[in-house]
Amino acid sequence: MPSEVSMSGAVHDREPTVEELKQELADAREQQAVTAEILQVISSSPTDLQRVFAEIAASAARLCDAYDVVIFQLHGDNLRLVAHHGPIPTDSTLALTRALSITRAVLDRRTIQVADLQAETEEYPESSDVARRLDFRTALSVPLIRVGEAIGVINIRRTEVRPFTDRQIELLKSFAHQAVIAIENTRLFEAEQASKRELQESLEYQTAIADVLNVISRSPNEMQPVLNAIIATAGMLCEADYAHCRLERDGRYHVMARHALNPNEVENIPGMPVVADRSSVTGKVLSECRTIHVPDILADPEDTYAVNMGVPARTILGVPLVRNDKVIGVIVLFRRTVRPFTQRQIDLVTTFADQAVIAIENTRLFEEVQARNRDLTALGEVGRAVSSTLDLKVVLKTIVDRAVELSGTDSGSIFYYRGSRFELGETTGLNEEVVARFGRLDIAAGQTGLGEAIARRQPLQVPDIFERPSNPLRDAAIEAGLRAGLIVPLLGSEGPLGALVLQRRRPGEFPAAVVSLMQSFADQSAIALENARLFNEIAQKSRELEIASQHKSQFVANMSHELRTPLAAILGYAELMQEGFYEPLGQKSLDALTRIRSNGKHLLGLINTVLDIAKIESGQFTLNMAEYAIESVVETVRSATESLAQNKKLALKTEVAKSLPVGVGDEQRLTQVLLNLVGNAIKFTDAGEVRVIAKAVNGHFAVSVADTGPGIPEEHQSRIFDQFHQVDSSNTKAKGGTGLGLAIAKQIVEMHGGRIWVESTLGKGSTFQMELPTHPQFHKRAP
């Protein structure tokens, strides 16, 4: 490793020899190759843990120079042997005890190395006894840790007293981690496979249910096709040899649908009518109104029906068909052999029983359900139109079209409420001439049914327009051949918005169901109108905020320029006075001028920062692209901040790779970025060091600034580059700052086509990193 040089230039460690470096490189390459091989085995054998463990054991023995390797996995309160490489005999199962070093590593969840187990008679009495009996000395145990819990252990042994090195210990920990990965992969793979099997079964069940529902929808007033589909599907999915459905008729329950796994055996299914009694499983289901599952019918002394009738079955499942707490039928599944049905199969048949009841009810409820479905479909379509677009005309046209279609009327219109008057909006069913005539009308709210409906805040029926008082809208409707109308007010949160009007050419009342449905349509229309109003308000506010933001940015830029002019004069005069240009001054005056200049420079820096932000927001922030050396940028920043680090007794270290390419960018701005990062690191670090590293990777400069400061909480790391954002802590407040430096740094880096981010752990310091393309293809202005 390269030696580190402190600011004083002293070397802290010796340079390794070439042979040592070669050996270290060779060891690292071998370790990487072995790790890659093990990971390849893990990825190629997600369920073959034995192969993975064997590979890990062999590799651990070779790379750690061990005489013997064993791997145990935790099962309950015992460790079970899963891999063994070497000649030392070992038990296949170990109880968790503190007398064994290998099991104590699991109990304590820590690595344990014992230089000579034969000598550890007090600390590890059982291990010491085994070591003497099997003639081994040094042992190293590394637990397998998953989510803070030990799930196994790797143990390596030597026959001589020769402790394993730190590098070998770390290597064995790496093998332990890979073993955990393999175990977790296997667990996840098996869970995934189980989930897939369950999902596949659920998909089959759902598909079957959907198919039955499809039959129900295709045969809304026919019961038989649905019962046939239900019994056939239930029989196949539940792997029943026979299945049938019985329905009540004249106090007895008759077979209405049947299915056999072998179609030639359909006639073997019992077909005699049964009654609700306890002589059979079917009778008990009917009499007790509950599902009954009998694993072996021959073991049921009450089932005389099956024995007497010679039912070719051993396992029987019966599920009742219940409507309004009354049993109206039963589904029965038979298996020739003793093979109980699973709970999921029982649940599936229960679902099919419910669907059978639905099919039976459909005979009575078909028309009502169809009408309701049409209403719900229309409301769904209208709801989707309202939620999917802000085009008010499209939404209202959809509402009017569907309202006319479902109400059975001849025409429909939306009228907008404009203060005390109405204006025609979207229409359907009216010819262009009538629409034009309605559009030219001056419709006062107080003279029409529109105003009356809004005043009453409820739908208004007009069975016969001829009976209404004369007004321009009524007269135009009569001229167009319209006789009856339904007016539904559109009411918003801030008052009336308009009305939905449906019209017929024949007189008469509108059904209550139509009025209720049109009220729902009116509510949807009101939502659309409210959405349009709110959208327009938001758009207007956005435009106003954008203009205000532009004015603010321009004001800040102008004020920054105005502040810099007198401040520059103040600093200039202070410098002249301090240098004795006007007359010699006393020490107190000189000290005061020093403070004036220091605070003035600080204020100038703040003004420059605010000016940069103003330029960014106004789109005037640009880069001066030219060739630069990243080494020069790092050296400039080091020279500028060295005294700050010395004042805080911090080590400021820089590591710049050799032979770096020449970059293209704005060197002054990049220096500003790095100066901000290093300055912040020094500011917030009270002890330790600040380290700057620069190198080139894949056509990019990789620059990092690491410190040993307090670190940044995780919840602040994603927002640390936002304008004015500072970590809310007493330490941050004491250090000061505007919270703008990192925001400017992020903008500069991104304008170079790069990126900047932070990695930090509380109490362990922070590392700010940035990537900069050495030759960016383009740069852009700040947005």
Side-chain angles (χ1 to χ4, degrees):
M1 295 183 58
S3 62
E4 295 182 353
V5 181
S6 68
M7 294 176 59
S8 63
V11 178
H12 295 299
D13 56 2
R14 69 175 183 83
E15 290 286 345
T17 66
V18 173
E19 291 302 320
E20 289 174 335
L21 290 174
K22 286 183 178 180
Q23 184 59 45
E24 183 176 350
L25 180 60
D27 292 344
R29 284 177 174 172
E30 183 179 8
Q31 180 179 343
Q32 290 175 354
V34 170
T35 300
E37 290 175 3
I38 293 174
L39 291 177
Q40 176 63 30
V41 172
I42 292 175
S43 64
S44 63
S45 307
T47 58
D48 190 356
L49 270 178
Q50 193 58 46
R51 180 185 172 197
V52 176
F53 288 148
E55 184 71 23
I56 290 175
S59 300
R62 185 173 75 257
L63 293 182
C64 295
D65 191 18
Y67 184 70
D68 181 86
V69 179
V70 291
I71 302 177
F72 285 88
Q73 192 173 351
L74 186 63
H75 289 273
D77 295 331
N78 295 306
L79 292 176
R80 294 182 185 174
L81 183 68
V82 293
H84 184 193
H85 182 88
I88 301 176
T90 188
D91 293 334
S92 60
T93 302
L94 298 177
L96 290 178
T97 171
R98 303 190 65 81
L100 290 171
S101 61
I102 186 171
T103 56
R104 191 182 296 189
V106 175
L107 291 170
D108 293 349
R109 300 191 297 277
R110 64 183 178 90
T111 298
I112 295 178
Q113 174 167 232
V114 182
D116 187 358
L117 266 179
Q118 294 187 15
E120 295 293 338
T121 57
E122 293 186 4
E123 184 69 17
Y124 305 108
E126 290 188 23
S127 290
S128 179
D129 179 65
V130 173
R132 287 192 301 274
R133 179 162 45 84
L134 300 179
D135 193 23
F136 64 89
R137 308 297 288 268
T138 297
L140 171 63
S141 301
V142 176
L144 311 182
I145 304 295
R146 183 184 69 201
V147 196
E149 296 296 328
I151 60 172
V153 65
I154 299 180
N155 187 67
I156 59 177
R157 298 177 281 193
R158 285 174 173 161
T159 56
E160 73 276 13
V161 177
R162 181 162 57 92
F164 295 93
T165 66
D166 290 343
R167 183 177 177 279
Q168 291 168 336
I169 293 173
E170 290 303 316
L171 183 57
L172 194 61
K173 288 181 179 179
S174 174
F175 285 140
H177 179 65
Q178 291 166 350
V180 171
I181 291 175
I183 294 171
E184 185 68 3
N185 279 0
T186 300
R187 184 185 68 81
L188 292 175
F189 181 83
E190 291 175 349
E192 180 184 10
Q193 293 303 308
S195 177
K196 285 182 177 178
R197 288 191 296 271
E198 184 176 347
L199 181 62
Q200 180 64 32
E201 186 178 77
S202 297
L203 182 61
E204 291 178 357
Y205 286 3
Q206 290 173 6
T207 301
I209 293 171
D211 290 342
V212 171
L213 290 174
N214 190 35
V215 173
I216 293 175
S217 66
R218 292 200 312 267
S219 308
N221 57 350
E222 293 183 72
M223 179 177 60
Q224 196 59 50
V226 178
L227 294 181
N228 291 340
I230 286 175
I231 297 306
T233 305
M236 288 186 295
L237 289 182
C238 296
E239 300 173 344
D241 294 303
Y242 311 102
H244 69 219
C245 174
R246 292 177 180 269
L247 296 181
E248 188 271 337
R249 190 172 64 218
D250 301 327
R252 294 162 66 87
Y253 293 84
H254 301 262
V255 174
M256 302 298 295
R258 62 180 70 192
H259 169 80
L261 195 61
N262 183 350
N264 296 325
E265 297 182 349
V266 170
E267 296 305 320
N268 293 336
I269 302 174
M272 295 289 294
V274 299
V275 295
D277 60 17
R278 300 187 60 82
S279 65
S280 67
V281 172
T282 303
K284 283 189 284 188
V285 171
L286 295 170
S287 62
E288 298 177 14
C289 190
R290 66 182 180 91
T291 296
I292 294 179
H293 180 210
V294 181
D296 187 357
I297 197 66
L298 297 184
D300 184 358
E302 292 185 336
D303 199 319
T304 58
Y305 177 88
V307 175
N308 294 337
M309 298 300 295
V311 175
R314 294 290 295 275
T315 296
I316 300 180
L317 170 66
V319 178
L321 276 59
V322 181
R323 182 183 68 203
N324 298 330
D325 297 328
K326 179 182 178 182
V327 178
I328 61 173
V330 62
I331 294 176
V332 186
L333 275 63
F334 306 87
R335 282 176 174 165
R336 286 197 189 94
T337 58
V338 177
R339 187 159 56 94
F341 294 93
T342 67
Q343 186 58 50
R344 293 197 68 185
Q345 291 169 335
I346 296 173
D347 292 340
L348 178 64
V349 178
T350 302
T351 300
F352 283 148
D354 294 338
Q355 292 174 338
V357 172
I358 291 173
I360 296 167
E361 283 290 277
N362 275 355
T363 304
R364 182 175 61 86
L365 301 174
F366 172 69
E367 289 298 332
E368 182 180 336
V369 170
Q370 285 296 99
R372 190 59 180 165
N373 282 343
R374 286 196 300 269
D375 295 348
L376 292 175
T377 301
L379 286 173
E381 180 183 341
V382 170
R384 287 192 297 273
V386 171
S387 61
S388 64
T389 178
L390 289 170
D391 189 332
L392 188 60
K393 290 183 176 295
V394 171
V395 175
L396 295 182
K397 188 65 168 63
T398 299
I399 291 173
V400 173
D401 288 346
R402 299 296 281 140
V404 169
E405 178 185 343
L406 291 174
S407 64
T409 52
D410 298 306
S411 66
S413 305
I414 293 285
F415 285 86
Y416 301 119
Y417 184 67
R418 310 294 194 195
S420 62
R421 315 196 81 75
F422 288 95
E423 176 184 316
L424 181 66
E426 303 307 309
T427 68
T428 189
L430 299 175
N431 60 43
E432 294 182 2
E433 182 181 348
V434 174
V435 171
R437 187 182 308 132
F438 281 4
R440 290 193 298 267
L441 294 177
D442 182 15
I443 308 171
Q447 301 174 359
T448 65
L450 299 174
E452 184 179 343
I454 284 180
R456 294 168 56 183
R457 303 182 69 84
Q458 63 183 23
L460 174 66
Q461 290 241 31
V462 182
D464 192 341
I465 295 177
F466 283 103
E467 298 178 0
R468 296 286 299 179
S470 177
N471 64 68
L473 182 58
R474 174 256 191 193
D475 297 342
I478 291 176
E479 187 176 345
L482 303 172
R483 287 292 303 273
L486 173 63
I487 305 171
V488 186
L490 311 181
L491 304 174
S493 59
E494 298 184 0
L497 302 172
L500 168 64
V501 179
L502 299 173
Q503 297 159 317
R504 278 198 318 244
R505 300 189 187 281
R506 59 179 176 82
E509 291 274 351
F510 289 80
V514 169
V515 176
S516 176
L517 180 61
M518 292 307 108
Q519 183 65 65
S520 298
F521 275 48
D523 293 340
Q524 298 281 18
S525 302
I527 292 172
L529 289 167
E530 284 279 81
N531 286 351
R533 181 183 64 80
L534 292 173
F535 177 77
N536 290 332
E537 288 182 4
I538 292 172
Q540 178 62 28
K541 292 294 184 183
S542 297
R543 288 191 293 270
E544 293 174 359
L545 288 173
E546 183 178 356
I547 294 172
S549 179
Q550 292 174 353
H551 289 169
K552 182 266 296 181
S553 297
Q554 189 61 48
F555 172 77
V556 171
N558 292 340
M559 285 302 300
S560 298
H561 282 295
E562 293 298 324
L563 290 172
R564 289 172 62 178
T565 301
L567 184 58
I570 292 171
L571 292 175
Y573 280 116
E575 183 178 1
L576 291 174
M577 293 173 67
Q578 193 175 29
E579 293 177 354
F581 182 79
Y582 297 105
E583 62 182 17
L585 299 175
Q587 187 59 43
K588 289 186 177 180
S589 297
L590 292 174
D591 291 343
L593 288 172
T594 298
R595 287 194 292 273
I596 289 172
R597 291 183 63 192
S598 175
N599 285 286
K601 289 179 179 179
H602 179 65
L603 179 57
L604 184 60
L606 294 178
I607 292 172
N608 287 336
T609 298
V610 173
L611 182 58
D612 282 344
I613 288 294
K615 287 181 178 179
I616 289 172
E617 291 183 345
S618 62
Q620 300 175 5
F621 194 85
T622 58
L623 301 177
N624 296 318
M625 307 296 279
E627 291 187 346
Y628 72 95
I630 194 67
E631 302 97 315
S632 175
V633 173
V634 174
E635 179 58 27
T636 299
V637 172
R638 188 199 64 77
S639 299
T641 57
E642 186 174 25
S643 61
L644 297 176
Q646 288 177 341
N647 291 339
K648 296 189 70 174
K649 295 183 174 55
L650 298 175
L652 177 61
K653 301 177 181 179
T654 61
E655 297 179 12
V656 181
K658 296 180 180 180
S659 303
L660 292 176
V662 174
V664 174
D666 189 328
E667 182 172 358
Q668 180 181 356
R669 290 298 187 182
L670 293 176
T671 302
Q672 176 184 347
V673 172
L674 188 58
L675 188 62
N676 178 274
L677 298 181
V678 175
N680 282 348
I682 295 173
K683 180 194 299 185
F684 292 104
T685 302
D686 294 326
E689 67 175 26
V690 174
R691 185 184 298 270
V692 182
I693 300 175
K695 57 186 178 181
V697 180
N698 297 328
H700 287 74
F701 290 128
V703 182
S704 64
V705 178
D707 62 56
T708 56
I712 301 170
E714 183 176 355
E715 63 269 20
H716 288 278
Q717 292 178 23
S718 61
R719 299 164 47 214
I720 198 73
F721 296 97
D722 295 343
Q723 291 184 20
F724 304 108
H725 181 80
Q726 292 179 305
V727 178
D728 187 13
S729 68
S730 58
N731 183 47
T732 301
K733 294 176 181 177
K735 306 296 184 182
T738 63
L740 295 175
L742 290 177
I744 296 172
K746 181 175 184 290
Q747 187 66 43
I748 293 172
V749 170
E750 290 181 350
M751 289 175 68
H752 281 81
R755 65 188 185 104
I756 185 171
W757 70 98
V758 64
E759 297 174 356
S760 181
T761 303
L762 279 179
K764 296 184 180 180
S766 305
T767 300
F768 284 81
Q769 302 189 66
M770 61 178 174
E771 282 185 357
L772 295 165
T774 54
H775 291 77
Q777 298 299 315
F778 63 91
H779 67 282
K780 59 183 179 180
R781 287 190 171 192

